[in-house]
Amino acid sequence: MGRAPCCDKMGLKRGPWTSEEDQILITFIHRNGHGNWRALPKQAGLLRCGKSCRLRWTNYLRPDIKRGNFSPEEEEAIINLHQLLGNRWSTIASRLPGRTDNEIKNVWNTHLKKRLLRMGIDPATHAVGSPASHSLISLYNSKYKDASLAPPFQTQPEASPDSPTTFLNLSDSIHDSQDLSSEIFSSVSSRDSETVTGADSGSRLDCIDSFEVEVDLGYDQKPQNIQDENPQTSILQNQDFADEEGWFPRENQDASEISSSEITWDDFSSMDGTADTNPQPLIWNMDFQSYDDDNDYWLNILRQAASSPTL
DNA sequence: AAAAAAGCCAACCGCGAGACT
DNA sequence: AAGTCTCGCGGTTGGCTTTTT
């Protein structure tokens, strides 16, 4: 096992490829394939090293490459995959059709990593530190600071008829598990279906201006199958649940009313088989309406915040 | 309007691993 | 068995573009 000698740079061109070079490479590969990259440039008449040709082809000229910006879904997938796989860009790319490892690496380094950092999330470990969790609480508080309506952020929200919609009760949701399957909301309370609006208040959440989440708890309904409702529906897990009478320990819930067999578990949970345990039974439906493109992303962040052990 | 800073991304570099001789 | 070759990967760079001052 030895190292390949560095290709002879004498007389070989470097730097950006011209359209003429691209065309030569495309034409040659279409006619002959690329069995031997080292020999290819000479055969094709290109003054490039084989490595450069291979890179140009795999990262740019390949016909199956998807150009253009990454969709929010793709970005979320990258974040989730990076959490599972780390900097294994080629493996991540293999799960994102049409995207190259180089492209994904660039997107991560220029956008996604910074976004997570702004959230107080360590991009290397994806651990949610207290800054992010606190930011979410700040967000909650800022929503109500001028309305004089907000119950203070509390660990066990009341469900009194007079209380307004409450926000994600993050502090009640902290637990130690690092398992992906537990990266879910622990508790949500609401009197009814309402829209919760979060606004930027100078916190670490400044990468978006605002977001809206509709929380539909459907007090009068039995828990329903998530898949029937909305593919984006999240799974809730908690020891407690509420109805108009207040909060109840989860064990009081009739298990027969809970359907978990067809829960749509997020893609990431099955990516590497580490989270293929049965999801916790559904207690409530929670519908997230896509008011903006960041919604899915925020949904994921909130999930992770709910699993933070550091709040 | 100009300069500086920041962002972006294609391309390069060096290394490890497997195939080949 | 050992040396050589090729490929693919992840990290880094450099130059162009955009934004900010």
Side-chain angles (χ1 to χ4, degrees):
Chain A
M1 176 169 60
R3 238 194 94 215
C6 198
C7 38
D8 183 12
K9 300 294 197 306
M10 295 296 289
L12 295 183
K13 193 179 170 197
R14 301 180 60 195
W17 280 63
T18 65
S19 55
E20 290 78 15
E21 289 176 309
D22 284 346
Q23 199 51 55
I24 291 171
L25 183 57
I26 291 170
T27 302
F28 182 86
I29 289 177
H30 280 166
R31 287 179 182 164
N32 308 287
H34 51 76
N36 186 332
W37 285 112
R38 192 176 173 83
L40 184 148
K42 194 171 182 178
Q43 296 168 351
L46 284 164
L47 290 174
R48 295 274 183 174
C49 71
K51 207 170 185 178
S52 180
C53 292
R54 177 176 56 80
L55 225 55
R56 184 62 180 172
W57 175 257
T58 56
N59 286 341
Y60 199 84
L61 299 177
R62 240 172 47 203
D64 57 332
I65 286 184
K66 190 196 290 183
R67 314 300 304 180
N69 294 335
F70 280 62
S71 69
E73 290 76 18
E74 286 176 311
E75 291 185 347
E76 185 179 353
I78 293 169
I79 292 170
N80 289 330
L81 286 164
H82 186 272
Q83 185 172 11
L84 292 169
L85 302 166
N87 291 0
R88 290 156 64 186
W89 306 117
S90 62
T91 310
I92 293 173
S94 70
R95 307 203 188 193
L96 288 169
R99 301 298 190 181
T100 69
D101 55 351
N102 204 40
E103 198 177 14
I104 290 169
K105 183 171 57 182
N106 282 333
V107 167
W108 173 261
N109 286 328
T110 58
H111 299 294
L112 303 181
K113 192 158 82 174
K114 291 172 187 172
R115 185 191 285 176
L116 293 185
L117 282 169
R118 279 198 298 266
M119 292 296 301
I121 296 171
D122 182 352
T125 64
H126 291 254
V128 181
S130 56
S133 302
H134 287 136
S135 293
L136 288 167
I137 294 171
S138 297
L139 183 66
Y140 166 77
N141 289 332
S142 70
K143 165 178 163 53
Y144 290 112
K145 66 183 178 186
D146 296 326
S148 303
L149 291 172
F153 194 85
Q154 51 193 0
T155 58
Q156 185 63 41
E158 301 294 334
S160 80
D162 295 326
S163 67
T165 298
T166 55
F167 196 60
L168 303 173
N169 186 5
L170 294 174
S171 64
D172 190 39
S173 65
I174 305 309
H175 51 79
D176 294 330
S177 173
Q178 296 299 311
D179 191 313
L180 280 175
S181 66
S182 66
E183 290 182 2
I184 54 181
F185 294 111
S186 288
S187 66
V188 172
S189 70
S190 172
R191 284 201 63 241
D192 207 336
S193 176
E194 291 192 41
T195 297
V196 180
T197 302
D200 176 31
S201 60
S203 70
R204 287 169 186 268
L205 299 169
D206 59 358
C207 56
I208 60 168
D209 295 323
S210 67
F211 70 93
E212 295 176 307
V213 176
E214 181 171 306
V215 181
D216 181 5
L217 296 182
Y219 286 117
D220 296 327
Q221 304 168 9
K222 289 182 179 180
Q224 296 175 14
N225 186 308
I226 289 178
Q227 212 163 31
D228 295 339
E229 287 294 315
N230 185 337
Q232 287 188 336
T233 303
S234 182
I235 297 164
L236 307 180
Q237 167 194 332
N238 197 8
Q239 297 82 13
D240 303 310
F241 68 98
D243 68 9
E244 292 186 78
E245 300 298 318
W247 285 80
F248 293 90
R250 183 175 170 175
E251 49 267 30
N252 290 356
Q253 179 82 343
D254 182 356
S256 66
E257 295 180 350
I258 299 172
S259 168
S260 62
S261 61
E262 294 182 68
I263 286 174
T264 302
W265 194 230
D266 291 341
D267 287 345
F268 67 78
S269 67
S270 60
M271 283 175 180
D272 66 350
T274 60
D276 56 0
T277 55
N278 289 334
Q280 291 296 317
L282 169 65
I283 296 179
W284 291 323
N285 277 340
M286 185 170 183
D287 296 334
F288 292 86
Q289 294 187 353
S290 296
Y291 290 97
D292 62 53
D293 289 342
D294 281 325
N295 225 30
D296 288 343
Y297 172 72
W298 278 97
L299 176 58
N300 189 45
I301 294 303
L302 290 168
R303 282 194 193 106
Q304 297 187 49
S307 69
S308 168
T310 57
L311 186 66

